[in-house]
Every structure is written in C-alpha cells, then in structure tokens.
Amino acid sequence: MFRLLGVAIAIATGATCGFAPAVAGTNDRGAPMRFELRQQGPAENCPGACPLLISASGAITSETPREFVKFVDGRDLRGAVIALDSDGGSVLGAIALGREIRRLNLATTVGRTSDLDTPAGAMARAALLPRADCESMCTFVLLAGVKRSVPPDARVMVHQIWLGDRRDDPTAVSYSAEDLVLVQRDIGRLARYTSEMGAPSDLLELSLRIPPWEPMHALTRDELRQMKLDTDELPAPSPPAVANSNPPSPVATSGSRASAISDRRWLMVDRSGASALARRHPLTLEGEEIGRFDLVVTCAGADAYGINYTEKRFGPDGKSAVLPVGAVTLRVGGQVATLKVVSSEKRDGVGEVDTFATGTVPAALIKAFTVNGPRSLFVTTSSGDLKTAIRLGNTGAAQNLPALAANCQTVMGRRVLLESQKSGVVVNQ
C-alpha cells in the first residue's frame, strides 16, 4: 500500500523535493525562469556562423510558458539552442513550455551562459558552460528539443514530484481524495506529453520510482541515450523490466515497544522504563523498499543525547544476498555524527540482516533538527558497495523534545543524588 500511494502522489504540483546540490551560476536558480538571447562565442571557435543561444535558468512556474511566448515574439530563432539550468518546478508549466519549444523546432541542451566582451553594435555573445543541472521537470523540458544534447559535465536528475505543501515530511501528512484525483490527472498529462515528444515511458517510470526522501537519481550516459534525452547517438534497445510480483512483507522492527513507534511522526515511547523520542521510516533504494529502520533518541548527559539505530534489511528483489551494514551516519545541516555499528548479522533461515548501531551526539545537533519549522535529518548507510540516503522530516519532534529534555534532567538528578548518597555527601534538594 505504501508504494502504491507513493506512485499515486508522485505528481501533483510543480514543487520538487530533492537535496542534490545545485551548480553555482550567474543566475538565481530559485527565482522564476528567465530567458536571455545571446550568440555563442568566442567567434573564432565557430567553424561557420555561431548559433544563437537562449539561456533558460531558474524555476519553472505556471507563468513561464507565457513569459517564453512573449520572449520569442518577433524574433528569428531558427537554429537556436536553449541552454537549461533549472531545479524544475510546475508540472503543467513544464509541459506547456516544452510544447512551445517543440512548436518552434528549437534544440535543447544543459548548460549555463557566461557573457563575453562584445563589440559595440553587435549581438551580445556568451560562452556555453557545460557544468549545469537539469532537475525534475526540467528533464521533460529538455525532452522537447528537436535535437538534444547533454555535455559530460552536466547532470540530468529525476525525482518524484510531490505536493508542494507536504514535501518536507511526506510520510507524516495525509492525502485526500481530491489530491489523488489531481495526481491521476497530471500523471496522465505527463504520460501523454512524453509520448508526444517521442520518448519511451521509461523516463516517467524512473522518475516515479524515486521518493522524496532519497537523493535525486542522476541519469547515466546509457540512460540519457535510451530515454532519448541525448540524441547524439541512437538509443540501444533495452530489455523490458520485470516487475517483482512477490515483494517481501514489511517486518516489524524489534526494540523497545516497537508497536508504539510511528512511521508518520516523532513520538515519545517507553524504552526499558525510560522515555525516548523515536521515529520509524522505510529503507528504500531508488524507490524499492529494502527494509525499514527505527531511530531512537535517548538521554545521555547534560549536553548530549544517545542515538540508537535499529534496522531490518532484505535484498532489493527479496532474493539477492544482503551484506552487513558497515557504517551509519547522521547529518543535520553542517553537523555530522557517525554511529558505531555494534552488530549487523544475517538472521538464520531468512534473507535478512539485522543491524544495531549506537552513538552519542551533541545536544545542539538534536536541537537544530527539532526547532519549529521544517528541518531535515539525513541518515546514510553503506553495505558493501550499496549506499542508502534517507531524509527524515521533523514532524512532532519540536513538540516532544521538551518532554524528553525534562525527563533527562530528572534522570540526571537521580544519578547525582545516588552518587552523593554513595559517597556520603549531602545534596540540598
């Protein structure tokens, strides 16, 4: 049910949910997309006439197609190339923009423009810089070019597109019937558009596979050709994907009163008689559920908290061998903590690996994550060559941390009192 819901809610608005770093450029990628016309240069680098470049940098909004129509009005853009550098944006805006690009028979590429010195009276010139990103819905705009090229230094990345007001902690919120109606409609529109552009359905399928708590999937050179995003070479035929008809059933994570741990929000739970703050989350790899884990925050001292990580993992297809987990790392902003893997062992008779890791982190790291407003905690693991990265939201954390902090103070006070009694020192209460 979880995976079906994930696919159903994949496309609803233009807001993308990703945490891949953007390439720095001269334009603000977070601002609405801007279009600028340049002639590629330097002139001595062009064997004939230098082509026209249209710089398209920034977020795709519902207004972007109209802005593009106004931009091209009255201009002779025959042979022009649109250089895309965008984090993505509106589904419907991207579809409309792509159709305008195809109508004008323009080519597309991924890149940024850097202005060059231009003689007075001549058309402004710019160099095309290949280090740029085309993310999420930008990928479908790239698809609109009659010719498409992706330089080796550029990145094209795909990811599920989520409801914009619920992307910070997607498993913590609810989705209405109206949301699903909107989603189904937009999935159909995007599927029809992809077919219009002459691309295989693989591109849409791959995009829908990557949930918002994972990093974006960067398309390989083979994938770019197979999905017709790079037309420099003809795509090689690929074998049809075989769906896993027997996905393994989720297994409840062991631990202290595991049934009380929520996969929708951070809650206080009882851990061997002591209070703790806990959250459960699916463990996924490119959208395929390969297990689940619990993250539990406990008392550890005046300026620290303990972290316990308990995971159950199975193979991506339910059959492949699973290697022990070698590392578990937490990151909040610029603060990083590495947990010690105490055990990671295969269960007898089943193809699963149970892992337990623990560590102590500064209280500042937990406080930075649990402040009011959306914050993220990234959990990364490595198991042989297999690496996972999960983004956890902080729903419920800010409301429950004061209770944990108060409990920790009580526990520390009892310890101080006990130690003083053992040593014969009288402590005034």
Side-chain angles (χ1 to χ4, degrees):
M1 178 64 184
F2 178 84
R3 292 199 56 209
L4 290 177
L5 182 63
V7 171
I9 304 174
I11 299 175
T13 70
T16 59
C17 177
F19 43 88
V23 174
T26 56
N27 295 316
D28 182 0
R29 290 165 58 92
M33 181 170 279
R34 294 181 55 192
F35 303 98
E36 295 179 343
L37 183 63
R38 299 288 187 266
Q39 190 168 24
Q40 189 169 351
E44 57 270 19
N45 291 352
C46 306
C50 290
L52 293 177
L53 285 176
I54 300 174
S55 169
S57 180
I60 303 165
T61 71
S62 59
E63 295 297 317
T64 299
R66 283 187 282 271
E67 293 298 321
F68 181 68
V69 169
K70 290 193 292 185
F71 171 79
V72 302
D73 186 38
R75 286 189 163 111
D76 182 2
L77 299 176
R78 283 174 294 181
V81 178
I82 296 184
L84 295 162
D85 181 34
S86 172
D87 294 337
S90 165
V91 174
L92 300 185
I95 290 174
L97 176 60
R99 286 179 173 148
E100 283 297 319
I101 291 172
R102 179 61 63 90
R103 183 182 66 82
L104 295 170
N105 293 316
L106 301 176
T108 53
T109 189
V110 181
R112 296 181 291 113
T113 56
S114 177
D115 286 343
L116 302 171
D117 291 336
T118 304
M123 176 179 283
R125 286 189 176 272
L128 181 61
L129 307 180
R131 293 185 64 84
D133 290 347
C134 183
E135 303 174 9
S136 191
M137 286 310 301
C138 174
T139 304
F140 292 88
V141 177
L142 173 66
L143 193 61
V146 290
K147 293 182 179 179
R148 304 174 285 281
S149 63
V150 180
D153 289 339
R155 296 190 301 178
V156 178
M157 295 182 285
V158 294
H159 197 283
Q160 286 181 358
I161 300 159
W162 213 259
L163 291 160
D165 59 346
R166 278 160 279 188
R167 65 180 182 175
D168 293 307
D169 199 352
T171 66
V173 293
S174 299
Y175 303 90
S176 68
E178 288 81 3
D179 293 332
L180 299 182
V181 169
L182 177 64
V183 166
Q184 296 290 347
R185 183 194 67 189
D186 285 350
I187 289 176
R189 287 174 170 172
L190 196 57
R192 182 170 65 248
Y193 167 85
T194 303
S195 178
E196 286 176 16
M197 298 299 133
S201 61
D202 302 34
L203 176 60
L204 181 57
E205 189 277 333
L206 177 59
S207 300
L208 296 180
R209 194 191 308 163
I210 313 300
W213 51 79
E214 285 192 34
M216 291 190 184
H217 174 84
L219 295 173
T220 65
R221 300 307 302 181
D222 285 343
E223 287 172 333
L224 289 169
R225 288 189 289 269
Q226 290 168 5
M227 298 176 189
K228 298 189 176 181
L229 288 164
D230 192 322
T231 57
D232 286 347
E233 298 181 25
L234 291 176
S238 56
V242 178
N244 179 12
S245 59
N246 248 330
S249 301
V251 180
T253 304
S254 62
S256 65
R257 302 182 65 172
S259 60
I261 298 179
S262 170
D263 58 3
R264 295 178 63 84
R265 60 189 293 112
W266 291 87
L267 290 176
M268 294 295 291
V269 298
D270 181 89
R271 187 171 180 83
S272 302
S275 296
L277 185 62
R279 176 79 180 262
R280 176 174 295 165
H281 201 281
L283 182 69
T284 58
L285 182 67
E286 294 199 343
E288 293 294 328
E289 190 167 343
I290 61 171
R292 57 181 52 215
F293 64 87
D294 288 351
L295 204 62
V296 180
V297 183
T298 62
C299 303
D303 295 310
Y305 286 102
I307 300 287
N308 292 331
Y309 174 90
T310 308
E311 177 200 289
K312 284 189 179 293
R313 178 182 301 219
F314 41 81
D317 55 6
K319 299 177 182 178
S320 300
V322 185
L323 296 176
V325 173
V328 179
T329 302
L330 311 179
R331 177 170 64 84
V332 177
Q335 302 182 69
V336 178
T338 300
L339 304 184
K340 179 182 179 182
V341 178
V342 178
S343 64
S344 187
E345 301 173 348
K346 181 171 291 189
R347 291 179 58 198
D348 293 337
V350 293
E352 296 178 356
V353 168
D354 290 353
T355 299
F356 177 72
T358 187
T360 302
V361 302
L365 184 147
I366 300 299
K367 291 177 181 177
F369 171 62
T370 57
V371 295
N372 286 319
R375 295 290 188 277
S376 296
L377 182 151
F378 297 95
V379 182
T380 59
T381 74
S382 61
S383 173
D385 293 333
L386 194 67
K387 298 185 184 301
T388 66
I390 302 295
R391 180 175 69 96
L392 271 174
N394 67 348
T395 300
Q399 295 88 332
N400 286 290
L401 183 64
L404 177 63
N407 178 264
C408 292
Q409 288 181 349
T410 301
V411 171
M412 290 301 297
R414 289 173 181 169
R415 288 178 182 173
V416 170
L417 180 60
L418 181 61
E419 291 299 321
S420 66
Q421 290 173 342
K422 288 181 179 179
S423 62
V425 177
V426 177
V427 178
N428 293 324
Q429 296 294 313

